[in-house]
Amino acid sequence: AQSVTQLGSHVSVSEGALVLLRCNYSSSVPPYLFWYVQYPNQGLQLLLKYTSAATLVKGINGFEAEFKKSETSFHLTKPSAHMSDAAEYFCAVIPSGYSTLTFGKGTMLLVSP
Amino acid sequence: DTEVTQTPKHLVMGMTNKKSLKCEQHMGHRAMYWYKQKAKKPPELMFVYSYEKLSINESVPSRFSPECPNSSLLNLHLHALQPEDSALYLCASSRGGPSYEQYFGPGTRLTVT
């Protein structure tokens, strides 16, 4: 079954530093890819999605992700971290031929002053 | 409006109780989902309704019974739950195709005593 792997269960950055959260998918056919954020005791909020229209996808709150087929990656970045970015981030995939989301294990982003 | 609402926000129930979780969306979405999320884990798919018909049941125990009264509403009926069923229950909706993102509600925090 196709899946996504998120490297690092926790990532720590200082406020103002670059945020890089890694996600690799296992698929020979490009799937549909998504990044979601979850703040404590809340539901999931969609940050951005890749559906083959463009390899660089811009999302909300200054986040963006680049789809790299050669590396089977869809890493999430933000140039400058803010304290309010501290949350759990999930990469998710809808494999080709399917219609349901498969989530990665999540990465907790910690932002220090 | 991209809002999915869920009630109640919190629910505490005994193992012999019967209760229901409710989910509502007014985005005209034709697919609705129930997920279960344990602490520090990604959401796990439980049920999918497509055009008001149950299309996916991920081998969920019969003490969980979903219902889709109309295209805007989704219920999850609970009966004779176990303490290990305590979790955050998330509802989501989407247009239904694989390229369409899912919008999540804030969840119901369920505690089974």
Side-chain angles (χ1 to χ4, degrees):
Chain A
Q2 295 180 9
S3 64
V4 289
T5 301
Q6 293 185 241
L7 232 64
S9 58
H10 291 80
V11 169
S12 295
V13 299
S14 299
E15 193 173 19
L18 171 71
V19 175
L20 171 60
L21 304 181
R22 300 177 187 273
C23 174
N24 289 87
Y25 64 92
S26 62
S27 171
S28 59
V29 177
Y32 299 108
L33 291 159
F34 306 82
W35 275 100
Y36 284 88
V37 61
Q38 186 176 30
Y39 298 99
N41 298 312
Q42 294 188 27
L44 278 69
Q45 181 181 14
L46 179 71
L47 282 175
L48 48 81
K49 68 174 182 179
Y50 168 77
T51 57
S52 78
T55 56
L56 183 62
V57 182
K58 293 189 183 297
I60 62 171
N61 301 339
F63 285 94
E64 63 181 36
E66 186 173 7
F67 176 78
K68 291 188 177 181
K69 184 178 178 180
S70 61
E71 300 176 8
T72 61
S73 68
F74 189 56
H75 301 332
L76 181 71
T77 60
K78 182 174 180 178
S80 176
H82 193 273
M83 297 295 289
S84 61
D85 294 326
E88 185 90 32
Y89 290 79
F90 292 100
C91 182
V93 63
I94 296 180
S96 296
Y98 291 80
S99 60
T100 57
L101 274 172
T102 298
F103 287 92
K105 292 186 176 181
T107 298
M108 177 65 73
L109 176 65
L110 305 169
V111 183
S112 57
Chain B
D1 181 12
T2 58
E3 188 178 26
V4 176
T5 59
Q6 290 186 244
T7 55
K9 287 189 176 181
H10 301 275
L11 179 63
V12 179
M13 61 185 291
M15 289 189 284
T16 58
N17 291 159
K18 285 185 180 181
K19 296 286 185 182
S20 296
L21 309 185
K22 296 185 184 301
C23 173
E24 190 167 5
Q25 57 88 13
H26 294 288
M27 294 177 278
H29 289 172
R30 304 316 301 259
M32 297 186 76
Y33 311 78
W34 279 116
Y35 290 86
K36 174 183 178 180
Q37 186 179 26
K38 301 286 274 186
K40 302 188 186 303
K41 297 288 187 182
E44 297 175 8
L45 183 65
M46 300 174 72
F47 303 103
V48 181
Y49 272 83
S50 179
Y51 290 86
E52 301 164 46
K53 294 190 188 307
L54 184 64
S55 61
I56 294 177
N57 176 341
E58 291 286 2
S59 303
V60 179
S62 60
R63 56 186 184 268
F64 295 91
S65 176
E67 178 195 19
C68 189
N70 59 55
S71 60
S72 300
L73 291 174
L74 187 65
N75 298 321
L76 186 63
H77 302 299
L78 314 172
H79 175 53
L81 295 191
Q82 303 297 310
E84 59 264 29
D85 296 322
S86 298
L88 181 68
Y89 287 84
L90 294 164
C91 173
S93 71
S94 78
R95 291 186 186 179
S99 66
Y100 293 113
E101 60 274 24
Q102 293 182 23
Y103 292 91
F104 285 80
T108 293
R109 175 72 61 188
L110 174 67
T111 302
V112 182
T113 60

